[in-house]
């Protein structure tokens, strides 16, 4: 972003990637522990910041055990690979992130996709799997707490209830909600942090403004699950550990990701939606997200690209998603608010967005 521009595109939800003490923590970590981890965690890569970060993350989310990976992508791949194998079933919501899809594909499990948000379809697949393979057949359902495609939330409590009924695990990717929703975690807000059959993954590269990924376990079996992952996840065993500066920055960011900052993010998300829903150009196009992301449907992929370029020329970055990387074939601009966006700048930016859409994608 040019200086003075407005970032409505990145996932730095709380504005922590450039926060002074977060940057200082990264520098301190590099000075003390080095710029890189130097090896996989099972060799010499487990520097002291990693167990400390895992303890911080478990405490923050109300979970019992955490295992940190080099990214959210590798956390998802490692987890699904470790849950798979012959005879297992993985059921993914069709809006699941590429890292979850790739992880499922590599897992050697049977992989099924359910229509977006369709818990009945998921349940039918679980039932059929058990009927076919017996009551002890392994299965996991994979959802995102807030989906990156439309910014809508999964019905976590209901999904967890149905999974428990069918003896399945529920994997929840909290990439877009860790440190970005009241209470710091959607799974915690749904009262599921103590549930042993709910496994959480998250990235440290969005609201925490750093880099890295984590898998979080709850319930009595949490430590055993962590051990299983530690011994079987290929992206844990065969990947260089998270670098010290990222770990140091994430720890400091966690300490700052409090209800005050998260509240400002929610207030800005509310304001942006109100403005977009009130403007004649955007009113019919806006899809309200449950988090900090609102999407605007565009008439054509070319119009979406032209609008995003016109906005960039005016110093406003927005996300631009178009076929083939959107599951439903509709091109969209994605507006992502941050906690540190001022009301006046946000109001002006929304007016500019509407003006550019009117001109480039009428
Ligand atoms: C839902 C979801 N899961 C996982 C990831 C991957 O996280 P990371 O960027 O840390 O690899 C992303 C990031 O784009 C995401 O949106």
């Amino acid at each position: 972003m040019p200086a003075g521009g407005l970032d409505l595109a990145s996932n730095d939800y709380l504005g922590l990637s450039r926060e002074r003490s977060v940057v200082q923590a990264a520098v301190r970590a590099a000075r003390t522990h080095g710029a890189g981890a130097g090896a996989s965690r099972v060799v010499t890569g487990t520097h002291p910041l990693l167990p400390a970060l895992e303890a911080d993350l478990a405490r923050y989310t109300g979970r019992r055990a955490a295992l940190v990976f080099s990214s959210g992508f590798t956390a998802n791949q490692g987890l699904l690979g470790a849950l798979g194998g012959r005879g297992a079933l993985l059921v993914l919501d069709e809006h699941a992130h590429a890292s979850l899809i790739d992880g499922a594909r590599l897992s050697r499990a049977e992989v099924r996709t359910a229509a977006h948000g369709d818990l009945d379809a998921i349940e039918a697949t679980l039932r059929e799997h058990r009927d076919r393979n017996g009551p002890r057949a392994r299965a996991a359902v994979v959802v995102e707490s807030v989906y990156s495609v439309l910014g809508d939330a999964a019905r976590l409590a209901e999904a967890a209830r149905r999974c428990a009924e069918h003896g399945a695990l529920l994997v929840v990717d909290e990439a877009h909600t860790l440190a970005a929703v009241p209470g710091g975690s959607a799974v915690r807000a749904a009262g599921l942090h103590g549930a042993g059959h709910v496994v959480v993954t998250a990235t440290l590269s969005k609201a925490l403004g750093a880099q890295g990924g984590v898998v979080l376990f709850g319930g009595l079996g949490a430590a055993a699950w962590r051990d299983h992952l530690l011994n079987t996840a290929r992206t844990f065993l065969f990947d260089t550990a998270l670098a010290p500066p990222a770990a140091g920055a994430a720890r400091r960011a966690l300490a700052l990701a409090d209800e005050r900052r998260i509240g400002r993010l929610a207030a800005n998300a509310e304001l942006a939606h109100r403005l977009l829903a009130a403007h004649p150009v955007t009113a019919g196009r806006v899809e309200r997200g449950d988090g900090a992301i609102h999407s605007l449907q565009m008439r054509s992929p070319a119009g979406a690209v032209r609008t995003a370029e016109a906005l960039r020329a005016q110093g406003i970055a927005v996300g631009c998603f178009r076929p083939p990387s959107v599951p439903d074939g509709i091109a969209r601009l994605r507006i992502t608010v941050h906690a540190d966006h001022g009301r006046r700048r946000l109001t002006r930016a929304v007016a500019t967005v509407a003006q550019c859409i009117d001109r480039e994608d009428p």
Side-chain angles (χ1 to χ4, degrees):
M1 277 307 298
L6 195 66
D7 173 11
L8 294 175
S10 84
N11 302 303
D12 187 10
Y13 294 130
L14 299 183
L16 291 177
S17 78
R18 287 164 189 271
E19 203 278 339
R20 203 161 58 95
S21 67
V22 173
V23 175
Q24 279 169 350
V27 171
R28 239 187 349 266
R31 289 213 174 98
T32 310
H33 302 283
S40 154
R41 289 192 58 180
V42 292
V43 186
T44 57
T46 300
H47 51 83
L49 291 176
L50 293 179
L53 174 59
E54 285 169 349
D56 289 351
L57 284 161
R59 199 176 316 112
Y60 186 84
T61 55
R63 307 234 81 192
R64 284 200 173 188
L67 193 65
V68 162
F69 286 71
S70 64
S71 72
F73 206 105
T74 54
N76 282 341
Q77 268 197 346
L79 174 67
L80 295 196
L83 294 182
R86 244 176 266 292
L89 169 74
L90 296 175
V91 192
L92 273 69
D93 185 285
E94 68 179 346
H95 282 194
H97 189 259
S99 53
L100 297 164
I101 296 169
D102 289 3
R105 282 187 185 141
L106 289 171
S107 73
R108 284 178 299 157
E110 178 187 345
V111 181
R112 301 279 288 276
T113 306
H116 181 49
D118 190 344
L119 294 182
D120 290 340
I122 288 175
E123 193 170 8
T125 309
L126 291 176
R127 192 175 291 119
E128 185 208 315
H129 179 64
R130 277 188 127 185
D131 288 348
R132 234 182 326 121
N133 301 293
R136 296 180 65 81
R138 289 184 298 127
V141 171
V142 182
V143 301
E144 290 178 29
S145 47
V146 162
Y147 287 90
S148 40
V149 178
L150 297 179
D152 56 325
R155 290 179 287 146
L156 294 180
E158 181 61 14
R161 189 187 65 71
R162 296 196 195 198
C163 283
E165 225 164 80
H166 294 277
L169 288 178
L170 176 66
V171 174
V172 183
D173 183 344
E174 285 223 49
H176 293 279
T177 51
L178 176 68
V181 291
S185 150
V187 164
R188 187 173 208 168
L192 297 169
H193 48 295
H197 74 297
V198 177
V199 181
V200 168
T201 70
T203 172
L204 314 180
S205 64
K206 297 189 192 291
L208 294 177
Q211 189 89 34
V214 64
V215 181
L216 294 144
F217 302 99
L220 293 177
W225 269 114
R226 183 180 183 279
D227 271 0
H228 172 65
L229 207 57
L230 188 130
N231 288 307
T232 51
R234 292 169 67 79
T235 52
F236 183 84
L237 296 169
F238 302 108
D239 187 32
T240 298
L242 182 65
R251 288 196 72 200
R252 177 62 191 152
L254 263 184
L256 295 176
D258 57 10
E259 292 302 311
R260 191 174 53 90
R261 278 194 164 82
I262 293 172
R264 282 209 299 264
L265 178 66
N268 277 345
E270 177 66 36
L271 172 66
H273 182 263
R274 212 169 343 110
L275 294 167
L276 290 165
H279 197 290
V281 172
T282 48
R285 302 178 183 237
V286 65
E287 295 164 322
R288 186 190 182 131
D290 289 308
I293 302 172
H294 303 307
S295 290
L296 294 166
Q297 290 201 6
M298 303 300 281
R299 311 249 188 266
S300 72
V305 173
R306 279 197 308 272
T307 308
E309 278 169 1
L311 284 166
R312 189 165 282 273
Q314 301 200 43
I316 297 171
V318 296
C320 177
F321 296 81
R322 57 194 191 282
S325 66
V326 283
D328 57 6
I330 299 172
R332 290 182 175 85
L333 293 187
R334 207 164 73 178
I335 309 291
T336 306
V337 301
H338 296 175
D340 57 353
H341 288 156
R343 288 179 71 87
R344 286 232 305 273
R345 287 182 76 202
L346 197 52
T347 305
R348 272 203 309 271
V350 169
T352 309
V353 168
Q355 206 176 55
C356 288
I357 291 177
D358 200 26
R359 197 174 63 225
E360 307 294 343
D361 186 67

